[in-house]
Amino acid sequence: MNLFYLPYKKLLPSTRVCSFQMKLLASALVISTPSLYAQEITINPRSNMVLNGSVHLVLYDAAFQNNGGFSAGSSTVSFTGHHDTTESYVSGSASTSLYNLSITKSDYGVALKSPVIVKNVLAVNDGNLYTDSNLTLRSDASLTARVDVVPAGCSIIGKANVERYFPAKRSWRLLTAPVTNSNTIFNSWQNRGVYAAGIGFLVTGPNPTGAAGNGLDYSQYNNVTMKGFNYATQQFSNVLNTKVAISQGISGSADNTGYFVFVRGDRDPANTTAGVVNTSTLTSIGALQTGTQTFTASPDATKAYTLIGNPYASPVDFNNVTRTNLAKRFYVWDPTLNTLGGYVMIDDTDGDGTFIKDVPLSSQTKCIQSGQAFFVETLVNGPASITFNETNKSGSNNNLVFRPTTPAPTSVGQGQIVATLNLLNADNTTLLADGTLVQFNDLYSAGINKEDALKFANTNETFSVMRNKVSLAAERRPALTLNDTVYYRLTTTTSRGYQFVFDIQGLEQTGLTGILMDSYLGTNTDLSFWEPTVVNFAITADPASSTMNRFKVVFKQSPVVLPVTISSVNAYKRNKNIAVEWEVENEINIEKYDVEKSIDGNTFTNVNTMFATAVNGSNKYEWLDDNAVQGNNFYRIKSYDKNGAIKYSTTVRVTMGEVEAGISIYPNPITGNKINIILDNHLAGEYGLNLTNLAGQLFVTRKVKCIAGNSTYTLNTNHKLPVGIYNLKVTGPDHKQHTYKVIIE
C-alpha cells in the first residue's frame, strides 16, 4: 500500500504548508494516495483541499480546521488516538462536507465545533462524538446518510439534523423523525415557517393560524395533511397543532413518533394546488437515538395494529428485530403505487427469513428505511412490543421507498395466485395500483386467523380478497380443490380503464381450470396456469360497473375434450422437398383429407387429396411436397366426414433457405382464441404485442422475449373475441412499430 505520511510533530511555522496549514490566498492541494496520516490540518481562506477518489484520511489526536474549501469525494475521514476534544475536533469558518466520517477514540472523543455534513456513513466505533448541534446527515436524490452500528459504551452526544429527500411526487407517506428530545414539527419539518426552495413542506388543516398560532399553513382547501395514529381507536387522528415536539419522548428510548403525512413538495404555496409538485427535503432536529430501543404495541388482538417509527437514522432489517406477541409482518405505504401511493403488506409466515408481498412489484423490501414508519400487528391479547438493537441496522439504503417464496409445495393444489391491479391509461400505458395474494397449502386453515393479513384501505383504488366478509391483503387457505372460489373486492374506483394481471403459480392440475367471472359484463375468462393472464376492463358511468364484488375466480372441471380426429401434424425438410405427415385417431366417418399449403400463413390452397383408408382405430398419412419454395411453407390438413362436416388441423411451417426479415400471422382469419405470430430474421430482445379493435380499445397486451433469428409465438386471447377486424401492433427492441390486420371470425 502506498502511504503518504505527515510528520507526527508539528513543523516550524515556515514549513506549515507541508503539514496542511495552507496560507496561500489561492491554492489547491489534490490528494490521490490511498491512505494519508496527519497530525493537524488547517485549510486557510481561499485555499482548497481535495481528496481525489477513495482516500482514507486519518487524523491521529488531531484537529481539522476548515476555513476554506474541502472536497471529500468518496473518501473516509477518520479520527483516532487517545486525547480528548481539546485536540480532536472539527472547526473553522466553513462548513465541512464529508463522505464517510469514522470515530475511533479509545478515550474521550471528537467534538464538532463547526458545521459538518456526512453524506454516506457515520461510524462511531470507539469513544464519543459531541455534535454541538453541528452535525447534518445529508439526504439527496442519490444517497441518504446513515449511522452505522454504535457499540456499547459509545455515544453520540448533542443534537443533529437528519434529512430525508423526497422526489417530485405528490403522495401520502408514513414518516418518523428518528430523534429524541426534538424540536417541534413547525421548527423541523416546516422549516420554522420560512420558505426556502427545496426545504420543508406545508402542513395544512382547518383554521390555520401559522407561526403565531397553531403552526398550520394555509391552503384553499384546508385539507388535513398530517395525522397521527391511535391504537386504542385504530384510527388516524388529525394533527391540528404543529407547535408540539415532532418526537413525543425525551428519554432517548423509543421516543420517536410515526405520522401519516401528505408530501407535495416544499413550502411554495403553489404546491397546495392539485397537480403542482416539486422536490423537497425534510429535516428532523434532535438527538440521535442509539442503543436498544423498545416500543410498546397494542395489547389487544382485536385492536391489533400499532404505528411504529424506525428509531435509527439507518435502515433496519425487520427480519432481525425482536418481536414480542407480534406477527412477523408489517405494513408500509409505498408512494410509487397509484397516483397517491398505497399500502403494501410484507410478511414471513413460515419464519424462514424470506418475505413476500401482496404487491410483488412494490419496491419495498424487508428493510425499514431511515425516517420510515410502519404498522405491526398484535397476535393475541397480552403485552406486545418490538425491540430494535444496533445490530439490526442494515446498509441497504432504498431510495425507491421514498422516491419471496411460499411454503414448499408438497402435494397437488399447493401454490399461489398473485393478482395485480393496474390503472390502464388511454395510451395503453399502465400504473401499478394495488395487489393481493392467495396462497394454497394444507398447512393453512380454512377460516380467518393470524395467517391471513388484513387489507388496509388506500386513498385511491383498494383491491382485496374477501373471505367471510373480511377484506384481506393475503389469504392463506388449504390446498386448491374443485369448485374453490376466490372472491375479489374492488373499491374507490373512478370512471376509467383498469387492468388485472393474474399470475398463477404451482396450481396446475389435470382436469381443473380457473375462470375469472365478471358479473357486470357476464363474461368468463380462462386463466392460464403457465403465464400471467392480462384482463382489461373499464368502470363506466353505469353504477353497476363499479359494484365492489364484480369479480371472482372459480376453479371448475375442465371441459371434456372429445377424441381429436387429427392428433398430430408434422412437416420437415427431406432433401430439397418437404414431407408432410399427420396422424389420425378414431378415424370414424372420415371420408378424405386435403393437404392445404400457403406461403404467407393466411391464404391456403389445396395441393393434394387423400382418401381415408382405415375403418377404425388410428392411421398415419404422408405426402411429399416437391414444389417447396424458398422461405416459408405453411401446411394444414382439412378433413371431411361423411356427413359433410369439415375440420382443420393446426398449421405447421417449414422454412427453406434464407428468409427476409418480416412478421407474419397465421391463421388469418382466426376462428379460435389463438393468434400465431412468426418473426423471421428478427433482432433478439423484448417485443411488445398490443391487440386493439378499430376503435382503439385494447383487448390483449403481452411482452415476449425472443432470441435472434426465427421464432414463433402464440398470442392467447384467453376467450373468443367478438367478430371483426383488429389491429396487432408489434413493437421491437429497436422501438420500431408495425401494425398488422387480424380478422376474427
Side-chain angles (χ1 to χ4, degrees):
M1 178 182 294
N2 295 323
L3 301 179
F4 182 77
Y5 179 77
L6 295 182
Y8 182 82
K9 294 182 178 180
K10 293 183 180 180
L11 301 181
L12 297 175
S14 61
T15 61
R16 290 178 74 85
V17 172
C18 296
S19 63
F20 291 99
Q21 289 195 12
M22 301 182 185
K23 292 186 177 181
L24 297 178
L25 294 179
S27 63
L29 177 62
V30 179
I31 300 174
S32 300
T33 187
S35 296
L36 176 67
Y37 291 82
Q39 182 196 5
E40 182 177 359
I41 293 178
T42 300
I43 305 174
N44 289 332
R46 301 182 63 187
S47 298
N48 295 279
M49 181 177 180
V50 178
L51 302 184
N52 187 23
S54 299
V55 177
H56 190 187
L57 175 60
V58 181
L59 293 98
Y60 190 90
D61 285 337
F64 188 106
Q65 300 181 51
N66 180 17
N67 300 307
F70 177 74
S71 179
S74 56
S75 301
T76 299
V77 175
S78 295
F79 286 84
T80 187
H82 307 280
H83 292 174
D84 63 19
T85 59
T86 60
E87 293 195 23
S88 297
Y89 57 84
V90 178
S91 66
S93 59
S95 176
T96 302
S97 182
L98 305 174
Y99 188 72
N100 296 323
L101 173 60
S102 176
I103 309 296
T104 308
K105 300 284 289 184
S106 57
D107 297 305
Y108 304 106
V110 175
L112 305 182
K113 300 181 179 181
S114 62
V116 171
I117 298 168
V118 177
K119 295 182 177 180
N120 188 37
V121 178
L122 170 63
V124 180
N125 305 307
D126 198 3
N128 298 328
L129 173 64
Y130 299 88
T131 68
D132 198 21
S133 298
N134 281 316
L135 173 64
T136 296
L137 299 178
R138 178 56 42 87
S139 178
D140 56 31
S142 60
L143 199 62
T144 294
R146 63 181 178 87
V147 179
D148 206 353
V149 174
V150 179
C154 300
S155 299
I156 301 175
I157 300 171
K159 290 190 174 183
N161 307 303
V162 183
E163 295 183 351
R164 170 51 71 182
Y165 170 84
F166 298 94
K169 172 74 162 65
R170 295 173 69 92
S171 176
W172 287 93
R173 319 248 176 179
L174 284 174
L175 300 181
T176 191
V179 294
T180 180
N181 193 22
S182 66
N183 279 17
T184 64
I185 299 170
F186 184 80
N187 287 341
S188 296
W189 287 355
Q190 290 174 269
N191 198 40
R192 305 180 309 281
V194 177
Y195 168 74
I199 303 297
F201 74 153
L202 296 165
V203 180
T204 61
N207 304 314
T209 53
N214 57 22
L216 293 180
D217 297 300
Y218 169 81
S219 78
Q220 58 269 47
Y221 308 109
N222 285 335
N223 291 332
V224 173
T225 59
M226 188 170 187
K227 303 179 181 183
F229 185 77
N230 186 332
Y231 70 64
T233 63
Q234 295 289 285
Q235 297 290 328
F236 283 115
S237 56
N238 296 335
V239 173
L240 302 178
N241 182 4
T242 62
K243 294 294 192 67
V244 296
I246 198 168
S247 293
Q248 295 179 357
I250 59 173
S251 67
S253 179
D255 290 335
N256 57 303
T257 307
Y259 298 98
F260 192 44
V261 301
F262 188 63
V263 179
R264 48 201 163 191
D266 62 22
R267 292 187 53 77
D268 186 343
N271 286 330
T272 60
T273 302
V276 179
V277 64
N278 59 10
T279 63
S280 181
T281 299
L282 302 189
T283 300
S284 303
I285 304 171
L288 294 172
Q289 296 186 124
T290 59
T292 300
Q293 304 284 321
T294 299
F295 294 83
T296 300
S298 171
D300 188 344
T302 63
K303 300 176 180 179
Y305 298 98
T306 307
L307 182 60
I308 304 293
N310 179 359
Y312 299 137
S314 170
V316 173
D317 189 340
F318 187 81
N319 187 54
N320 297 328
V321 300
T322 301
R323 295 168 291 103
T324 300
N325 193 21
L326 294 178
K328 197 173 183 181
R329 171 185 302 147
F330 65 97
Y331 293 80
V332 296
W333 184 272
D334 185 341
T336 66
L337 300 183
N338 212 310
T339 55
L340 299 177
Y343 283 107
V344 176
M345 183 283 304
I346 301 180
D347 71 358
D348 173 20
T349 55
D350 57 1
D352 65 356
T354 300
F355 287 74
I356 61 171
K357 299 178 277 193
D358 64 331
V359 187
L361 296 179
S362 168
S363 57
Q364 178 67 46
T365 68
K366 64 177 180 174
C367 290
I368 311 296
Q369 297 301 299
S370 170
Q372 188 176 17
F374 58 99
F375 283 96
V376 294
E377 181 181 354
T378 301
L379 289 172
V380 297
N381 289 341
S385 63
I386 181 170
T387 299
F388 298 80
N389 292 296
E390 286 285 342
T391 53
N392 301 153
K393 289 180 177 178
S394 167
S396 178
N397 270 328
N398 182 1
N399 283 342
L400 291 176
V401 169
F402 291 92
R403 320 170 267 260
T405 60
T406 63
T410 57
S411 65
V412 173
Q414 302 194 7
Q416 64 182 23
I417 305 173
V418 178
T420 300
L421 173 71
N422 296 323
L423 305 185
L424 180 61
N425 301 318
D427 60 357
N428 292 330
T429 59
T430 59
L431 176 63
L432 179 62
D434 204 357
T436 65
L437 174 69
V438 181
Q439 293 183 303
F440 299 83
N441 194 293
D442 283 329
L443 297 174
Y444 299 136
S445 66
I448 299 293
N449 57 27
K450 290 296 182 178
E451 294 171 342
D452 306 296
L454 294 184
K455 186 71 176 184
F456 283 17
N458 295 325
T459 304
N460 299 113
E461 288 81 0
T462 300
F463 181 42
S464 60
V465 176
M466 290 297 294
R467 180 84 168 186
N468 298 339
K469 298 182 180 181
V470 178
S471 184
L472 301 172
E475 181 196 5
R476 274 89 186 203
R477 53 162 69 184
L480 179 67
T481 59
L482 184 64
N483 295 321
D484 267 359
T485 301
V486 178
Y487 295 92
Y488 289 100
R489 186 173 188 260
L490 180 57
T491 61
T492 328
T493 56
T494 60
S495 295
R496 60 162 302 133
Y498 291 94
Q499 181 183 88
F500 284 139
V501 180
F502 290 94
D503 189 3
I504 301 178
Q505 304 165 12
L507 296 178
E508 54 275 6
Q509 299 181 43
T510 302
L512 196 66
T513 185
I515 302 171
L516 174 68
M517 295 184 174
D518 182 340
S519 63
Y520 172 66
L521 295 179
T523 58
N524 296 335
T525 302
D526 291 337
L527 301 181
S528 172
F529 286 84
W530 311 104
E531 61 180 357
T533 303
V534 178
V535 180
N536 297 330
F537 66 99
I539 302 296
T540 67
D542 184 353
S545 71
S546 57
T547 302
M548 64 180 63
N549 58 353
R550 172 176 165 179
F551 298 99
K552 64 182 178 181
V553 170
V554 180
F555 291 90
K556 293 187 173 184
Q557 187 73 41
S558 300
V560 177
V561 179
L562 297 175
V564 179
T565 301
I566 302 175
S567 59
S568 66
V569 179
N570 187 30
Y572 56 89
K573 296 179 184 178
R574 182 182 290 174
N575 298 323
K576 295 182 179 180
N577 303 319
I578 297 176
V580 181
E581 298 176 345
W582 65 100
E583 186 171 351
V584 181
E585 294 182 4
N586 293 316
E587 192 177 47
I588 301 174
N589 292 327
I590 296 298
E591 181 178 346
K592 63 179 180 179
Y593 305 96
D594 285 345
V595 180
E596 295 189 341
K597 179 179 178 180
S598 171
I599 60 174
D600 61 5
N602 297 320
T603 303
F604 285 82
T605 58
N606 180 19
V607 291
N608 184 66
T609 298
M610 300 183 72
F611 287 90
T613 59
V615 177
N616 220 328
S618 61
N619 204 2
K620 292 184 179 180
Y621 296 87
E622 178 182 315
W623 175 74
L624 187 67
D625 183 6
D626 56 7
N627 289 310
V629 299
Q630 292 295 300
N632 290 323
N633 295 260
F634 299 90
Y635 301 93
R636 69 185 184 189
I637 307 302
K638 182 179 181 180
S639 64
Y640 300 81
D641 69 20
K642 296 178 180 179
N643 297 322
I646 296 175
K647 294 182 180 179
Y648 288 92
S649 72
T650 57
T651 302
V652 294
R653 178 187 68 150
V654 176
T655 302
M656 304 292 284
E658 295 296 328
V659 180
E660 294 183 1
I663 298 175
S664 55
I665 299 169
Y666 75 93
N668 199 8
I670 295 166
T671 57
N673 60 355
K674 294 182 179 180
I675 304 172
N676 298 308
I677 304 168
I678 298 175
L679 300 95
D680 289 316
N681 284 343
H682 61 278
L683 299 173
E686 186 175 75
Y687 285 76
L689 308 175
N690 288 317
L691 183 69
T692 61
N693 60 16
L694 296 183
Q697 182 181 5
L698 180 65
F699 283 83
V700 183
T701 182
R702 293 283 192 280
K703 288 185 178 180
V704 297
K705 290 184 178 180
C706 300
I707 60 174
N710 302 328
S711 296
T712 300
Y713 178 78
T714 299
L715 181 64
N716 192 335
T717 63
N718 297 317
H719 56 85
K720 181 70 169 64
L721 296 178
V723 173
I725 299 176
Y726 294 75
N727 288 324
L728 178 66
K729 182 169 69 175
V730 181
T731 304
D734 56 359
H735 303 296
K736 292 183 178 179
Q737 296 182 345
H738 300 278
T739 301
Y740 303 88
K741 294 293 184 184
V742 177
I743 301 173
I744 306 293
E745 292 184 344

